Amino acid sequence: MKVFIDGKYFDEWNAKVSVFDHGLLYGDGVFEGIRAYNGRVFKLKEHIDRLFYSAKAILLNLPLSHAEFMRATVETCRRNKLRDGYIRLVVTRGVGTLGLNPSRCKSPSVIIIAGKIQLYPKEMYLRGMEIVTVPTTRNLHSALNPAIKSLNYLNNILAKIEANNAGCEEAIMLNAEGFVAECTGDNLFIVKAGKVLTPPLSAGALYGITRGTVMDLAREAGHEVAEPNLTRYDLFNADECFLSGTGAEIIPVTKIDGRVIGDGKPGLVTRKLENQYHALTNGSGEPI
Ligand code: PXG
């Protein structure tokens, strides 16, 4: 595997960063997780757009232009002969001193890894997954805004550990008001009386690219799509529930906090959206 670091390609055993990089010392940086399908990078422009928004929010001047990021991502796939896989794009604050002042960091570092990902077992896509609500809540917008895809994922990792301790792969995170925000690495949807519903971004969700795609697909298929505040009660009484994310794609949820959702099997609307999503991922994107 060849890893892109600051314009050069390194063998994976030689792809290293400094222990003084503030990405490591403080989680100071931003990232994106992107997929390639069938020789194309899916929604690449949208991912680079979001990288720029995250960077802007943390006052990080990205060292490459939008077009250069697109080109470097595609080129890293090419060098790895990757046609189907997962691309991790990371920008750190760069090498600095001990002490958290970011102005001591000389220049941000760009890392691009093109590899594989398998987030959940295949079985869960067939039968649906069980998830639980966990005590760790989403960050407040006034703290580390949850819209920023920063290298500081401890909040989500704590929630993930809590889910794992309860025997589940994914956790529902509420916001400080008790409304459903999203999961640790996936957005959440329910289907109720044919309507496709997902929490509003103001509830503390990431501006998920898969979330946006699913909303477009659901509208195309004639469903009403809305973003109301949702409570756990709304989830328990939904006809269907599913999660969306670049890694997970669309995965049905059939049990939440011990309550069976709908008839306990992945729903028809979920299955239809999964099929539409797979058709789109296979046929569109930036050619490698
Ligand atoms: N919420 C959070 C907190 C995320 O980190 C999503 C929602 C889904 O967003 P997208 O834009 O991917 O539809 C994410 C994305 C991993 C991994 O390594 C995590 C994500 C994506 C890819 C891999 O666990 N999270």
Side-chain angles (χ1 to χ4, degrees):
M1 181 195 278
K2 298 279 184 200
V3 179
F4 175 104
I5 306 177
D6 297 330
K8 297 197 186 91
Y9 290 89
F10 296 86
D11 287 316
E12 74 187 89
W13 53 268
N14 204 24
K16 294 173 182 163
V17 293
S18 164
V19 293
F20 296 102
D21 192 308
H22 280 209
L24 174 72
L25 289 176
Y26 299 109
D28 186 353
V30 293
F31 78 103
E32 277 300 319
I34 310 167
R35 286 286 278 268
Y37 297 97
N38 209 12
R40 291 166 181 271
V41 185
F42 188 59
K43 299 276 175 192
L44 179 57
K45 180 192 172 295
E46 288 81 354
H47 281 283
I48 305 296
D49 285 347
R50 189 171 63 187
L51 183 78
F52 271 81
Y53 299 145
S54 294
K56 180 154 195 180
I58 68 160
L59 291 112
L60 177 68
N61 284 325
L62 292 175
L64 302 181
S65 68
H66 194 290
E68 286 168 335
F69 268 110
M70 300 249 308
R71 272 200 296 275
T73 307
V74 170
E75 180 59 24
T76 306
C77 293
R78 234 177 252 153
R79 296 223 181 185
N80 286 284
K81 298 189 171 50
L82 189 90
R83 289 183 52 80
D84 293 274
Y86 176 73
I87 303 138
R88 171 62 56 91
L89 218 163
V90 180
V91 186
T92 72
R93 188 76 67 179
V95 172
T97 53
L98 293 176
L100 55 84
N101 190 351
S103 67
R104 299 273 174 80
C105 300
K106 285 188 197 76
S107 58
S109 263
V110 177
I111 300 164
I112 309 174
I113 310 167
K116 296 277 170 203
I117 196 169
Q118 160 90 61
L119 278 192
Y120 303 119
K122 232 183 180 157
E123 180 73 11
M124 289 191 179
Y125 288 87
L126 298 173
R127 300 239 173 106
M129 78 190 315
E130 176 178 359
I131 58 177
V132 281
T133 311
V134 296
T136 298
T137 58
R138 277 304 259 167
N139 285 322
L140 293 169
H141 297 280
S142 53
L144 176 61
N145 193 311
I148 303 170
K149 208 162 161 61
S150 83
L151 292 183
N152 221 300
Y153 251 49
L154 251 190
N155 193 52
N156 301 43
I157 290 166
L158 290 178
K160 188 86 162 181
I161 292 169
E162 288 160 356
N164 290 162
N165 285 345
C168 291
E169 290 266 352
E170 189 47 298
I172 296 173
M173 300 180 79
L174 306 179
N175 62 24
E177 284 182 283
F179 290 112
V180 176
E182 60 169 340
C183 295
T184 68
D186 304 298
N187 290 105
L188 183 144
F189 283 83
I190 58 170
V191 181
K192 182 75 179 173
K195 288 185 196 158
V196 175
L197 309 173
T198 190
L201 298 169
S202 60
L206 187 84
Y207 291 35
I209 288 161
T210 319
R211 176 185 182 275
T213 306
V214 167
M215 291 167 80
D216 290 344
L217 292 174
R219 281 194 196 99
E220 266 171 42
H223 294 280
E224 191 183 315
V225 176
E227 301 169 73
N229 263 322
L230 296 173
T231 63
R232 291 170 67 228
Y233 170 91
D234 299 316
L235 308 192
F236 300 154
N237 292 298
D239 301 327
E240 301 180 26
C241 178
F242 63 87
L243 310 182
S244 75
T246 297
E249 304 177 316
I250 295 173
I251 184 160
V253 172
T254 46
K255 210 181 217 189
I256 301 175
D257 297 335
R259 281 79 160 180
V260 171
I261 305 306
D263 64 2
K265 296 197 190 89
L268 289 177
V269 177
T270 304
R271 286 294 188 225
K272 188 173 62 183
L273 288 168
E274 276 182 71
N275 290 336
Q276 285 175 274
Y277 188 74
H278 289 138
L280 194 66
T281 57
N282 276 320
S284 60
E286 202 65 27
I288 293 173

